[in-house]
Amino acid sequence: MQDNATEVTAAGIARLAGVGRAAVSNWRRRHADFPRPVGGTETSPSFALAEVESWLRKQGKLAEVPLRERVWQQLSGHPDGPVTALTHAGCLLLLIHDRPTVWLEVSAGSDERLSEMLRGALREVFTPRFGPESAMNTAPAVNTPHPVNTADAVNTPDAVNPAPLASDAHTPSGVHTPSAVNTHPAVNTHPALHLPTGPELLPSAPLLRGVAELAAELGARQTFEFLLGRHLDANPRQYTLTPADLAALMADLAGPARTVLDPACGTGALLRAAATRPDQELHAQDSAPELAALTTLRLALQTWSTVRGAVGDSLRADAHPRLRADAVLCHPPFNERNWGHDELAYDPRWEYGFPARTESELAWVQHALARLKDGGAGVLLMPPAAASRRSGRRIRADLLRRGALRAVIALPVGAAPPYNIPLHLWVLRRPEKAPAQPEVLLVDVGQFAGEGRGGPDWRAVREAVLDAWQAFGRPGRFAERPGLARALPVIELLDDDVDLAPARHLPPPTAADGAEQLTAVREHLGETLRLTADLTPSRADAAQPARWPLITIGELARGGALMLRTGGNGGHARVPVLTDHDVLFGADPSGTLPESEEEAVLTEPGDVVVPVLGGGAVARVIDATTGGAALGRNLVLLRPDPAALDPWFLAGFLRGTANNRQASSYASTATRLDVRRLQLPRLPLDEQRRYGERFRVLDEFERALRHAGRLGEQLVRGMYDGLTDGTVAPD
């Protein structure tokens, strides 16, 4: 009965059967016995998963539902919503992770017995992992009906009712604090997780059995990462994630820490990056209840650290008022007007000045400093405006004078959402005493920005930032690095503006280096232009339109002439990722994907990669330098059998405009290509190779043109900069 309550949409049916949504629409029209909708809307109906599976099997369209897909469909169609289902699944996986033999006893018998016994078993896990308060009070599993517009570490204050101020005498929430600081353990009045009751768990019983089966195959933590990753991918507009490379950089800047706090934890990327040892204490809080619950489970599954998760807006309802952490990592919400300005006027956290209504970020900075022990480090992701807005100049000045602000690092464009803004990192240190001659490190790594959506060169960013930060921390005078890093005496910044934007204070690269670089670019451009001229296609001879017999990619895949794979999984190994942007612009692999239990699709020389979004006629043949990269999202890989298909012939005909037009869907705002509908002429292999060689030469010409264009833009920009800053003579 409970299994029939799981619903699936037309898109889910298409995924189960491995077809397009149009095929599902055709089945509904042509087959009178197709399952009737049981929910949803007229334009987007939902169907009972069990009925759909039964119908697909009877029609011979489904041999067996893959376990991962079945579990995901049960979770996404859960009658209480996917967040509740994911929370219940995470609770079970934590039980399997910590006490694997208990599940065997709990799962025997009916669903009713399972749900009642599971509650008692979970109590034995919740108390040591999350504190006794998480198992004391029961509450319905979290299910937020409205979309949560939050970053990976972003709070949404409106989602939580204002609670007593941190300065009030209410009991702090669930803090496990160092004994040197706290003499009395605090009671968590707003724990992120509550022990679910038997009736709450009952609708999830079929799902939990499937989750346990999947955990036996993948492992408990990998199963949760798979399900959470699918949930985040299915709701991209609700969650804006902090990139893993950025989280790792922030954790490295903070340094080793036993007690770590993220007061706006989102999905926990920063705390996961900081968690390196079992004796750590990880404190998390978020105003979005579902994020707080899922992150608490995620951290408990990923680490053996003590995890204390809480729900609430950290500025208005601080769950950790007595905590003094070794490190605070935070990606706070930007440009919040309703952050508590009116209620928090006399809050003791404002040691460096009361933030203006428009300076919510400076409120988060002072909150982080208030939760650090003396000498503790904090790293916050900040909008660039926070370094220069006049309304915040007095607080910035006091942070500098007292040595609390140690570094401002300008990141490249595309480092984190919003991707069109070069965000900053502020590195804080709670001062043990006022420094005699305070200095602040200013770093600008904007030069390492990648092209388009590929993201920055994280390896170069990491090396430049950490090298400068470590050198700044060593005794002796910091060696200035023109255009990159500079240690500036605080007194030089204490003017009317107190502008901390690194670009305003860094010296430009030396004139000699600039002139030499421009000369090298000019010579390289000349060589590329000569190569482009040599590669220019010969005169096109007219010919009669060909009438070849055609075959689709889908038919070739079914016949074994090629293998078709889709990208989007990170796997275990950290390898370069080929993105759709890389394919469209002929760039090297530049992307990243979150780690996943699903194996990444790795490219091999001779593969043909096709983007499915954007409406462009593009296909790329993988060469030896690109082979081995993981296939990114929105890409399809075709691996031809060399005895049947020439890869250049395949790629060339896939780029035909008419071919792409007939295989594309224009039903939504984004044009989507159905690769299976693309067509090829049936030609002998020798004839394929003749066409393939011509397509290969055209591709080489196209790449040379692109390279020349990039070099030309670099030369023009460099000349403008050199002439305007006086490093290049006008004659």
Side-chain angles (χ1 to χ4, degrees):
M1 179 185 70
Q2 300 298 334
D3 204 17
N4 285 332
T6 302
E7 298 176 12
V8 62
T9 64
I13 297 173
R15 186 192 288 268
L16 286 171
V19 298
R21 291 189 59 177
V24 178
S25 298
N26 287 335
W27 293 343
R28 291 184 62 195
R29 288 194 301 268
R30 293 168 49 197
H31 297 277
D33 61 339
F34 191 87
R36 299 298 180 189
V38 296
T41 64
E42 185 176 345
T43 56
S44 181
S46 58
F47 307 82
L49 176 61
E51 294 179 8
V52 167
E53 291 177 358
S54 176
W55 187 87
L56 290 173
R57 283 197 184 93
K58 283 195 298 183
Q59 296 292 324
K61 303 181 186 301
L62 182 68
E64 186 57 53
V65 181
L67 178 59
R68 296 186 189 196
E69 194 60 41
R70 176 179 177 80
V71 171
W72 168 248
Q73 293 296 345
Q74 287 178 314
L75 188 147
S76 61
H78 193 282
D80 293 329
V83 173
T84 295
L86 190 53
T87 304
H88 289 175
C91 292
L92 169 67
L93 290 168
L94 184 61
L95 174 66
I96 293 174
H97 180 264
D98 287 8
R99 302 187 178 189
T101 58
V102 174
W103 167 250
L104 298 178
E105 179 184 351
V106 168
S107 61
S110 66
D111 288 352
E112 288 76 8
R113 178 182 181 276
L114 180 153
S115 58
E116 287 302 325
M117 291 195 66
L118 182 57
R119 171 179 166 77
L122 288 176
R123 185 190 299 277
E124 300 302 314
V125 175
F126 270 42
T127 300
R129 295 304 297 268
F130 308 125
E133 58 276 3
S134 64
M136 235 186 280
N137 301 319
T138 59
V142 174
N143 188 11
T144 303
H146 303 293
V148 179
N149 186 10
T150 178
D152 186 30
V154 172
N155 280 334
T156 52
D158 293 338
V160 178
N161 294 328
L165 304 185
S167 56
D168 293 344
H170 75 285
T171 310
S173 52
V175 180
H176 183 81
T177 51
S179 57
V181 177
N182 293 339
T183 56
H184 302 287
V187 176
N188 190 346
T189 56
H190 299 287
L193 276 172
H194 290 279
L195 184 66
T197 66
E200 290 166 0
L201 288 168
L202 183 57
S204 300
L207 166 68
L208 297 180
R209 295 185 190 278
V211 167
E213 188 179 351
L214 187 58
E217 179 182 308
L218 302 180
R221 65 178 58 174
Q222 292 84 357
T223 298
F224 188 74
E225 285 299 307
F226 162 70
L227 295 173
L228 178 61
R230 286 285 289 267
H231 175 67
L232 296 176
D233 287 344
N235 301 276
R237 296 184 180 180
Q238 295 186 26
Y239 308 100
T240 305
L241 307 180
T242 302
D245 290 303
L246 175 58
L249 175 60
M250 293 173 67
D252 287 340
L253 286 168
R258 180 177 176 274
T259 308
V260 189
L261 167 68
D262 185 346
C265 63
T267 58
L270 296 176
L271 289 175
R272 289 180 71 212
T276 57
R277 59 194 205 192
D279 64 337
Q280 278 181 311
E281 298 174 2
L282 304 178
H283 298 264
Q285 183 170 352
D286 201 279
S287 64
E290 78 282 5
L291 285 178
L294 295 177
T295 293
T296 302
L297 287 166
R298 189 182 200 188
L299 293 172
L301 281 163
Q302 289 289 329
T303 74
W304 287 105
S305 304
T306 301
V307 180
R308 293 294 182 263
V311 176
D313 174 6
S314 291
L315 295 183
R316 286 193 176 96
D318 183 14
H320 309 286
R322 288 196 282 177
L323 176 65
R324 296 297 178 265
D326 297 313
V328 174
L329 302 173
C330 188
H331 175 172
F334 299 158
N335 303 318
E336 285 285 329
R337 295 298 182 99
N338 186 25
W339 58 268
H341 178 271
D342 296 335
E343 308 101 288
L344 302 176
Y346 301 103
D347 196 287
R349 288 173 289 183
W350 315 143
E351 295 181 47
Y352 303 88
F354 181 42
R357 190 182 301 277
T358 57
E359 294 289 350
S360 62
E361 296 86 7
L362 294 182
W364 285 99
V365 166
Q366 294 190 76
H367 174 77
L369 287 166
R371 295 295 156 262
L372 287 170
K373 70 177 186 181
D374 290 346
V379 184
L380 276 75
L381 186 66
M382 302 282 281
S388 54
R389 279 191 298 243
R390 288 188 60 81
S391 55
R393 64 189 186 279
R394 292 181 181 176
I395 295 177
R396 292 196 299 270
D398 208 30
L399 290 168
L400 291 172
R401 286 192 196 95
R402 296 169 61 179
L405 180 58
R406 304 296 292 133
V408 177
I409 300 164
L411 297 170
V413 172
Y419 289 108
N420 60 330
I421 298 175
L423 301 175
H424 288 179
L425 291 178
W426 284 25
V427 184
L428 311 171
R429 187 85 65 189
R430 183 168 180 83
E432 300 177 79
K433 60 180 181 179
Q437 294 180 327
E439 288 187 330
V440 64
L441 176 66
L442 301 178
V443 180
D444 189 342
V445 287
Q447 60 186 288
F448 302 119
E451 295 184 1
R453 294 177 294 162
D457 182 348
W458 278 112
R459 179 177 297 179
V461 169
R462 180 185 179 85
E463 290 176 356
V465 169
L466 294 180
D467 184 53
W469 174 243
Q470 291 162 5
F472 179 67
R474 290 193 289 266
R477 183 70 179 170
F478 180 81
E480 196 171 90
R481 302 167 190 198
L484 183 64
R486 180 185 186 187
L488 203 63
V490 163
I491 192 66
E492 296 186 23
L493 294 168
L494 298 179
D495 53 17
D496 289 341
D497 295 324
V498 196
D499 192 332
L500 306 182
R504 297 184 186 276
H505 304 285
L506 294 179
T510 61
D513 290 345
E516 290 177 4
Q517 185 178 10
L518 286 177
T519 301
V521 170
R522 187 177 184 279
E523 292 176 355
H524 195 182
L525 175 61
E527 294 172 1
T528 305
L529 289 174
R530 287 190 289 272
L531 174 63
T532 305
D534 294 340
L535 292 173
T536 301
S538 57
R539 182 174 61 87
D541 296 328
Q544 293 296 322
R547 301 296 182 189
W548 295 302
L550 300 175
I551 187 171
T552 66
I553 294 296
E555 291 171 321
L556 288 169
R558 286 192 293 272
L562 57 81
M563 182 176 67
L564 189 148
R565 301 286 301 276
T566 57
N569 298 309
H572 293 290
R574 301 297 294 173
V575 297
V577 175
L578 187 70
T579 68
D580 54 348
H581 177 272
D582 300 332
V583 175
L584 290 169
F585 293 92
D588 292 333
S590 62
T592 58
L593 286 170
E595 290 189 29
S596 167
E597 272 308 301
E598 292 190 73
E599 289 298 323
V601 178
L602 301 182
T603 60
E604 297 178 2
D607 290 344
V608 177
V609 177
V610 183
V612 297
L613 292 180
V618 178
R620 176 170 175 176
V621 178
I622 301 299
D623 56 20
T625 60
T626 314
L631 194 68
R633 294 186 177 91
N634 301 320
L635 291 175
V636 171
L637 178 144
L638 305 175
R639 182 165 294 162
D641 179 352
L645 282 174
D646 179 79
W648 285 105
F649 164 81
L650 172 62
F653 274 95
L654 294 186
R655 291 191 61 172
T657 302
N659 199 5
N660 272 257
R661 200 161 46 229
Q662 64 84 26
S664 295
S665 168
Y666 304 92
S668 64
T669 55
T671 302
R672 187 174 187 88
L673 180 69
D674 184 351
V675 176
R676 291 178 177 273
R677 292 172 54 193
L678 289 168
Q679 298 175 330
L680 292 180
R682 295 176 182 266
L683 295 178
L685 192 56
D686 289 343
E687 189 70 6
Q688 291 181 30
R689 289 172 178 156
R690 283 185 57 217
Y691 278 96
E693 178 59 23
R694 188 66 183 269
F695 287 138
R696 187 194 62 77
V697 173
L698 278 175
D699 179 79
E700 191 176 357
F701 173 64
E702 183 180 36
R703 285 189 283 114
L705 281 177
R706 283 203 187 107
H707 189 47
R710 288 193 290 266
L711 289 171
E713 291 175 2
Q714 186 178 350
L715 179 61
V716 170
R717 173 48 52 199
M719 290 296 295
Y720 271 111
D721 290 345
L723 288 167
T724 54
D725 64 23
T727 59
V728 172
D731 50 11

